[in-house]
Amino acid sequence: QVQLEESGGGLVQTGGSLRLSCVSSKRTFSSYSVAWFRQAPGKERKLVARIGWSQTSAVYTDSVKGRFTISRDNGANAVYLQMNDLKPEDTGVYYCAASLRDGVVRADYAYWGQGTQVTVSA
């Protein structure tokens, strides 16, 4: 079992920044691919970014490329999502998820956090 805890969400104006954190107590957390998903009101939960065990394995959805950066600190059992130049369309609940596979859809991930709300005002 992998328990995940997100933090860092909040209310920010357009153009602002937030940094989300996802931490786990799992000793082998560094072996897992970790992704951030976003779910806007009334919409499907979709991948925002994913990282494998190394930084070079990061992938992003097109709408956040150049604005968001996913990173991990394996010593701290943590994964981060730095979000810059935020836009109203980035609003939603952000979920951290972990998998032993490099998946890009919700079904690929067995372990989920509770989510953290990000609201970007116009």
Side-chain angles (χ1 to χ4, degrees), residues 42-55:
K43 296 191 176 180
E44 293 182 15
R45 193 177 299 186
K46 292 188 176 180
L47 181 81
V48 174
R50 184 207 75 207
I51 189 167
W53 70 272
S54 76
Q55 189 66 39

Side-chain angles (χ1 to χ4, degrees), residues 37-40 43-47 93 95 106 112-113:
F37 283 76
R38 175 172 67 203
Q39 188 164 18
K43 296 191 176 180
E44 293 182 15
R45 193 177 299 186
K46 292 188 176 180
L47 181 81
V93 178
Y95 295 90
R106 183 175 180 174
W112 293 84

Side-chain angles (χ1 to χ4, degrees), residues 5 18 21 26 48-49 53 72-73 82 85 90 92 94 105 108 115-117 120:
E5 183 174 353
L18 285 172
S21 298
K26 183 77 172 178
V48 174
W53 70 272
R72 70 188 305 162
D73 181 344
Q82 178 66 43
D85 190 23
D90 295 318
Y94 284 69
V105 297
D108 292 328
T116 184
Q117 176 71 43
V120 184

Side-chain angles (χ1 to χ4, degrees), residues 22-50:
C22 173
V23 296
S24 174
S25 59
K26 183 77 172 178
R27 286 191 302 111
T28 58
F29 188 54
S30 63
S31 300
Y32 289 76
S33 288
V34 179
W36 287 97
F37 283 76
R38 175 172 67 203
Q39 188 164 18
K43 296 191 176 180
E44 293 182 15
R45 193 177 299 186
K46 292 188 176 180
L47 181 81
V48 174
R50 184 207 75 207

Side-chain angles (χ1 to χ4, degrees), residues 2-19:
V2 180
Q3 292 185 322
L4 304 171
E5 183 174 353
E6 304 102 333
S7 62
L11 173 65
V12 65
Q13 292 183 333
T14 296
S17 297
L18 285 172
R19 187 193 195 209

